Amino acid sequence: MSDTRDFWLSCGHHLLDRGEDGGLVVTDEFLKAYLARPEMTPPPDACVAERAMHRDLLVDPRQPVAPGQIAAIADEDARENWELMISWRDHMVRHVTLEAAYLALVRHDLKFPQIFLNQLVQVILRNMLHECDDAFVLRAAELFFRPQKLTLYEGTLVAADEETVSGLGTRPLSPLVSMLGLSSAAEIDVLSEANAGRYWERSDAFDMALDLTAGRRGLAALGDVVTRWVRHLLAIDVEIDAVTELRDVTLTWYVGLDADATRIGDALWHGDELDRTARELVVGLYRLTFADDTDIVEKARGAPTYLIAAMSPDKVVRLKPQNLITGLPVRRYAGVLH
């Protein structure tokens, strides 16, 4: 897989194959990348059993691993890591594509660490967006797999990567970092038309912030990502429009794109009035309509489905794209990438 303008190299998309239907096919090289991670590499004092298993898997990463092989590992933490890794490997290779593995994980509520889920979402997005030349859409897609720290400054709502800003150093270098009340040893820039061309070279640094102010390009770009996500995973065409105000919205059907948004949607659903504090947590509101409502549940047919995105009281957005898979009013999920 290669593109003229590559991005998110760290997700490992270049180690995967793409099937005829466009889905990602797991390769031995992709599995070996997991085995090469520091937490999976046996330390110098690791027991013989762990070193032997790691060595054998690097030769054949798909070979069966019996419970007894893991039980023979001396270190308790190492045993737990290997149980999780082998379970995750088996889940990925059990399915024809990574998209199908993701759908099965979400629909059956399988329990894996959030970091694994985020990594899977990122590489699926990378596949879905491989021909996208809009830096705003690519930056908005980061919200699907990386929490964002938000700040409101002079009427502008800005999202910066939480991990990036929390790991910065001691000297404030940019106005945005100062505005966030953070200290930095690196620059963070707000994505704009002027610097959008630099997104590709900086994409793995996650150091470009996104303006999510209502009516501006960032929120529209996030709606674009949602549209593409639903089409890619569910083979369903939808249209999405950003809505600037919660007032006078009748929620016939809604999907909270994160835990805080779900709580807000639940309150509105039950007819509760939102106080000012709750309303200020809403980051984005979208009206979704289906191009074909044949398979839409009767209650939602003919009425828009609303999508809500919100931040937590500590001003962090943690989107859950799996809610789009489980929450839309669709009778069947006919995703083409099974």
Side-chain angles (χ1 to χ4, degrees):
M1 296 169 57
S2 63
D3 302 291
T4 54
R5 303 181 82 178
D6 214 341
F7 60 99
W8 301 347
L9 294 173
S10 60
C11 73
H13 71 93
H14 55 288
L15 300 175
L16 293 157
D17 290 333
R18 185 180 286 123
E20 293 182 0
D21 60 3
L24 293 172
V25 179
V26 174
T27 64
D28 287 357
E29 289 74 20
F30 186 73
L31 297 176
K32 288 178 181 180
Y34 276 94
L35 297 168
R37 293 178 63 89
E39 59 267 30
M40 299 311 304
T41 302
D45 61 347
C47 68
V48 173
E50 182 180 3
R51 292 201 303 270
M53 187 169 68
H54 186 259
R55 181 181 62 247
D56 292 345
L57 285 169
L58 284 175
V59 175
D60 178 10
R62 298 174 190 260
Q63 66 177 262
V65 175
Q69 291 176 262
I70 297 177
I73 296 174
D75 184 78
E76 181 179 356
D77 290 338
R79 288 198 301 271
E80 183 177 345
N81 284 344
W82 280 109
E83 287 175 354
L84 181 60
M85 179 62 227
I86 297 304
S87 178
W88 181 246
R89 179 205 67 173
D90 291 348
H91 178 75
M92 289 192 293
V93 302
R94 189 178 298 127
H95 296 87
V96 176
T97 64
L98 284 182
E99 284 86 348
Y102 174 77
L103 289 172
L105 186 155
V106 170
R107 290 172 178 166
H108 300 294
D109 195 25
L110 302 180
K111 301 302 182 184
F112 286 103
Q114 186 63 41
I115 188 173
F116 280 18
L117 186 62
N118 288 344
Q119 290 168 348
L120 190 54
V121 167
Q122 182 183 9
V123 78
I124 291 172
L125 284 167
R126 177 61 185 77
N127 182 36
M128 182 186 87
L129 297 168
H130 73 282
E131 293 183 346
C132 180
D133 60 1
D134 188 333
F136 288 86
V137 172
L138 301 182
R139 176 59 183 88
E142 293 178 22
L143 274 74
F144 271 37
F145 61 92
R146 293 183 70 90
Q148 305 288 310
K149 180 72 174 180
L150 270 63
T151 188
L152 184 64
Y153 180 72
E154 295 184 350
T156 299
L157 186 64
V158 178
D161 187 86
E162 183 189 35
E163 182 177 330
T164 299
V165 296
S166 65
L168 299 178
T170 58
R171 186 164 59 94
L173 294 180
S174 75
L176 176 60
V177 170
S178 298
M179 181 172 64
L180 288 166
L182 303 162
S183 55
S184 174
E187 283 288 343
I188 294 180
D189 299 316
V190 179
L191 184 66
S192 66
E193 292 291 349
N195 63 22
R198 296 194 60 200
Y199 177 83
W200 283 263
E201 66 188 72
R202 296 173 60 170
S203 65
D204 282 289
F206 302 107
D207 62 355
M208 300 191 85
L210 184 66
D211 184 351
L212 290 178
T213 308
R216 296 186 185 172
R217 192 167 177 181
L219 273 184
L222 182 57
D224 191 339
V225 176
V226 171
T227 301
R228 294 170 185 248
W229 183 254
V230 173
R231 182 187 303 125
H232 185 71
L233 288 171
L234 300 179
I236 295 173
D237 288 322
V238 298
E239 293 184 3
I240 292 177
D241 299 302
V243 179
T244 58
E245 181 57 62
L246 259 176
R247 300 180 191 278
D248 301 323
V249 168
T250 302
L251 296 185
T252 302
W253 199 281
Y254 67 95
V255 177
L257 298 180
D258 54 83
D260 297 285
T262 298
R263 284 190 287 271
I264 290 171
D266 289 346
L268 291 172
W269 178 266
H270 290 103
D272 298 338
E273 285 291 330
L274 295 183
D275 58 23
R276 179 178 177 180
T277 299
R279 288 181 178 275
E280 289 178 348
L281 295 180
V282 176
V283 173
L285 179 65
Y286 299 93
R287 183 187 297 110
L288 179 150
T289 55
F290 294 91
D292 181 358
D293 66 358
T294 303
D295 292 305
I296 305 307
V297 299
E298 192 64 35
K299 183 176 182 179
R301 190 172 297 172
T305 294
Y306 285 94
L307 311 178
I308 307 170
M311 59 182 165
S312 61
D314 60 350
K315 299 183 179 179
V316 176
V317 171
R318 299 178 178 88
L319 292 191
K320 300 173 67 176
Q322 62 266 35
N323 288 5
L324 290 164
I325 307 302
T326 60
L328 290 176
V330 180
R331 285 176 175 162
R332 51 103 186 149
Y333 292 97
V336 297
L337 301 172
H338 291 218

